[in-house]
Amino acid sequence: MENVHYISPETLTFDTIEQILEKGYTLELSKESRDRINYCRKYLDEKIGKSDDPIYGVNTGFGSLYNRSISKEDLGTLQKNLVMSHACGTGDEIPSEVTRLMLLLKIYALSLGNSGVQLATVERLIQFFNLDILPIVYEYGSLGASGDLAPLAHMSLPLIGMGEVLYKGEKIETQELYKQLKCEPIELRSKEGLALINGTQFMSAFATHCLIKAFRLSQQSDITGAISLDAFDGRIEPFNDSVNLLRKQKGQVKTARRFRSLLSDSELIKQQKIHIQDPYSFRCIPQVHGASKDAINYVKEIVLNEINAVTDNPTVIPEEDLVISAGNFHGQPLALALDFLSIALSELGSISERRTYRLLSGKRNLPSYLIASPGLNSGFMILQYTAASLVSKNKHLATPASVDSIESSQGQEDHVSMGANAATKAYRVVNNLERILAIELLTAAQALEFRRPLKSSSLIEGIVGSFREKVEFADNDKMLYKEIEKAVLFLRQTKPLSEQSYTEDEPLK
């Protein structure tokens, strides 16, 4: 069927996720996934029925209450109580695009057949996704240790008829939703509550969202940097392939090659230069942009592993007759990776702001603040202030969350990752970077006009031409906050130059 994605054990990729979200695909379980879910549930039911041996979270309490036995008659109540009691989130509601990703990633993880859930539970989550029913989830509450307990509890409340959801643009009580849908809440069975609220889907949903944007922003950093380089009358020599190959850093080499490609037929880049050297914000673009590319690529591998993993607890392995309480829910891999991503993206913003500053400096035959009559006009002066404030904020946000740990559950959970805080910080860094690049694009496009009649490359002129359809050249002072928003929207709507991500591994030649 068209516009249907069949959930299967096949690896979930970023391209697949983008396609599902952007094209509005609905989800459906493949036969293999349905069989896996049913097989695991049957195995768990039989194991509980045959023995009264304690199985953590199945017939025992949770956390430091692991030594409390629960009767077979109360196993379902135990799971319902778990979801209710762990829904302790607070703060702002998380963005709907992240909630949709949480649903998708949780559906996929449960479909792998190592969580012991009912088929009906997974199908209800799929129904929520397909009907765009988004549980209300709050930003704060997860330590990124026993998974994302509080956020995933909020995501799971609507399954049992509780909490609130966003449906058809309105926030409503789940009880009202079920009246409209004419269906009943799910009756949780043993382990299901734990399977739902353990796991790293809050962290990994934010990580996936941030990475998908980071792939594009990394490329756009190159494009805006190339426009700035030409507008500043910069030199192409630092982008020479031979000199960059000597450093042996993949991202550096890719960046240099991209810049040479972007500026290959530029009249400006080929003209005789008076200056023999450019500032670092131009001369060291391959090294700085390249290091961020390599960091993004590292984070991509970690997150790709995570979204294809089983991260709830205990883990059920029917084929080996095992139910093991371990630590797959611990968010340390994501916490470190998300902190690294924030640092890498923060640096792209930092060097971008420096290029903006240079273009406004009144040097290299450019007017002060890129306005024809400075003095009477302030021109683009305050654009740099705005970029600087965003860069400073990103520096604060790039302070690692993963170095912190506060024990919980009466000391049973004595090391936590704080990956959820790393995730929400990374989300802010990504959005701030987008605005910093939009400001550089505004500035670089303005500066380029003062180089006429010389032209940049055909590719750059095409990009700037499209930008000029949205944002006009500034002859005199005007309100610039609207221009920033137009530039942000332009970046969001601009398609990548090629289908291949800059962060994909490829051998150096």
Side-chain angles (χ1 to χ4, degrees):
M1 293 175 63
E2 293 184 1
N3 297 328
V4 175
H5 175 78
Y6 288 91
I7 299 291
S8 74
E10 184 178 343
T11 298
L12 194 60
T13 67
F14 295 118
D15 287 339
T16 300
I17 290 171
E18 271 199 284
Q19 189 175 54
I20 291 170
L21 297 179
E22 291 185 3
K23 296 185 179 180
Y25 276 37
T26 57
L27 304 180
E28 190 171 321
L29 287 171
S30 66
K31 182 180 184 303
E32 185 176 1
S33 291
R34 294 170 70 89
D35 290 345
R36 284 187 176 212
I37 294 168
N38 285 329
Y39 180 67
C40 187
R41 183 66 231 179
K42 181 181 178 183
Y43 162 79
L44 188 60
D45 284 339
E46 290 176 351
K47 191 172 187 67
I48 297 168
K50 291 176 183 177
S51 172
D52 292 323
D53 291 345
I55 303 175
Y56 173 77
V58 177
N59 54 15
T60 74
F62 309 104
S64 64
L65 301 175
Y66 66 90
N67 57 354
R68 303 294 179 91
S69 297
I70 309 298
S71 68
K72 290 182 180 179
E73 294 76 20
D74 290 330
L75 297 187
T77 302
L78 174 70
Q79 301 302 316
K80 182 177 181 179
N81 288 346
L82 175 71
V83 174
M84 288 192 297
S85 66
H86 283 58
C88 289
T90 190
D92 295 334
E93 297 170 14
I94 68 170
S96 58
E97 62 264 27
V98 179
T99 309
R100 280 181 63 77
L101 270 169
M102 284 179 68
L103 285 172
L104 173 60
L105 298 180
K106 177 56 79 173
I107 289 165
Y108 180 82
L110 296 178
S111 76
L112 293 173
N114 296 101
S115 300
V117 295
Q118 302 174 80
L119 181 61
T121 301
V122 183
E123 289 180 332
R124 182 60 55 86
L125 288 173
I126 289 175
Q127 182 184 23
F128 285 171
F129 185 92
N130 290 344
L131 295 179
D132 203 27
I133 297 168
L134 301 179
I136 300 300
V137 179
Y138 298 95
E139 181 176 359
Y140 297 114
S142 172
L143 301 180
S146 295
D148 293 308
L149 294 174
L152 286 172
H154 282 281
M155 187 205 77
S156 303
L157 280 176
L159 289 171
I160 58 175
M162 297 181 180
E164 299 171 305
V165 297
L166 188 67
Y167 182 49
K168 296 182 178 179
E170 294 184 12
K171 185 163 71 171
I172 62 173
E173 295 288 334
T174 302
Q175 291 177 337
E176 175 59 29
L177 171 73
Y178 281 140
K179 287 179 182 178
Q180 293 185 34
L181 297 180
K182 297 180 180 180
C183 63
E184 297 295 324
I186 296 292
E187 292 289 337
L188 295 181
R189 294 167 66 179
S190 58
K191 193 191 176 291
E192 286 201 282
L194 204 56
L196 288 164
I197 73 169
N198 270 178
T200 60
Q201 284 77 34
F202 178 84
M203 291 177 277
S204 55
F206 270 101
T208 300
H209 175 83
C210 290
L211 266 176
I212 288 172
K213 290 197 74 169
F215 297 151
R216 176 167 292 190
L217 291 174
S218 175
Q219 185 182 88
Q220 289 171 340
S221 295
D222 287 350
I223 294 170
T224 56
I227 301 171
S228 293
L229 181 69
D230 237 7
F232 195 62
D233 194 26
R235 304 187 69 102
I236 198 64
E237 288 85 354
F239 301 86
N240 178 279
D241 204 39
S242 296
V243 70
N244 285 286
L245 280 169
L246 288 172
R247 187 73 182 271
K248 303 185 186 303
Q249 299 292 349
K250 290 182 180 180
Q252 176 177 333
V253 173
K254 291 177 190 176
T255 301
R257 289 174 178 174
R258 171 57 66 184
F259 269 71
R260 294 201 309 278
S261 175
L262 285 168
L263 297 169
S264 61
D265 59 342
S266 168
E267 297 173 357
L268 285 165
I269 207 71
K270 292 176 181 177
Q271 71 174 341
Q272 186 70 32
K273 310 294 179 183
I274 297 174
H275 44 277
I276 63 170
Q277 200 178 73
D278 290 327
Y280 284 4
S281 56
F282 293 94
R283 186 172 17 134
C284 297
I285 286 174
Q287 291 76 15
V288 177
H289 285 207
S292 290
K293 282 183 176 65
D294 289 337
I296 293 168
N297 200 41
Y298 165 77
V299 175
K300 180 190 75 171
E301 294 303 318
I302 298 296
V303 176
L304 191 62
N305 288 339
E306 192 74 8
I307 65 177
N308 285 282
V310 177
T311 56
D312 64 276
N313 182 64
T315 306
V316 185
I317 310 174
E319 298 82 3
E320 300 180 40
D321 189 21
L322 293 175
V323 181
I324 297 179
S325 179
N328 276 0
F329 47 50
H330 199 291
Q332 194 74 2
L334 285 174
L336 293 173
L338 282 161
D339 281 340
F340 196 13
L341 183 66
S342 291
I343 292 168
L345 298 182
S346 179
E347 282 301 291
L348 288 179
S350 181
I351 196 170
S352 169
E353 181 276 332
R354 289 293 81 194
R355 292 192 294 263
T356 294
Y357 179 87
R358 291 288 182 176
L359 289 169
L360 298 173
S361 64
K363 297 180 179 179
R364 296 197 178 179
N365 295 320
L366 291 173
S368 291
Y369 304 117
L370 299 179
I371 202 75
S373 302
L376 176 63
N377 293 288
S378 295
F380 283 18
M381 178 193 295
I382 307 302
L383 279 181
Q384 184 264 329
Y385 288 46
T386 305
S389 72
L390 289 165
V391 167
S392 179
K393 186 63 178 178
N394 273 359
K395 290 176 182 178
H396 300 160
L397 293 169
T399 301
S402 57
V403 297
D404 187 28
S405 177
I406 300 175
E407 73 173 37
S408 56
S409 194
Q410 298 180 351
Q412 181 70 6
E413 299 166 9
D414 57 352
H415 182 277
V416 303
S417 75
M418 295 301 179
N421 288 344
T424 54
K425 290 196 305 94
Y427 180 83
R428 291 183 173 88
V429 169
V430 166
N431 289 337
N432 288 346
L433 173 58
E434 188 172 53
R435 295 185 178 281
I436 294 165
L437 294 178
I439 289 171
E440 183 184 2
L441 178 58
L442 273 169
T443 308
Q446 178 82 0
L448 198 62
E449 299 301 327
F450 290 100
R451 298 300 183 189
R452 303 306 184 202
L454 293 178
K455 291 186 177 182
S456 185
S457 67
S458 54
L459 184 55
I460 293 299
E461 292 291 348
I463 293 169
V464 173
S466 297
F467 181 66
R468 280 284 168 251
E469 294 175 6
K470 308 291 183 182
V471 180
E472 295 180 354
F473 175 80
D475 293 303
N476 297 292
D477 277 351
K478 60 180 177 179
M479 295 184 296
L480 291 173
Y481 73 94
K482 293 184 178 179
E483 308 299 273
I484 294 174
E485 293 308 309
K486 291 177 185 176
V488 169
L489 189 61
F490 178 81
L491 290 179
R492 287 178 184 169
Q493 294 177 342
T494 300
K495 294 181 180 180
L497 295 177
S498 66
E499 293 302 317
Q500 185 179 18
S501 167
Y502 282 4
T503 59
E504 289 179 354
D505 277 322
E506 58 184 46
L508 297 181
K509 298 178 181 179

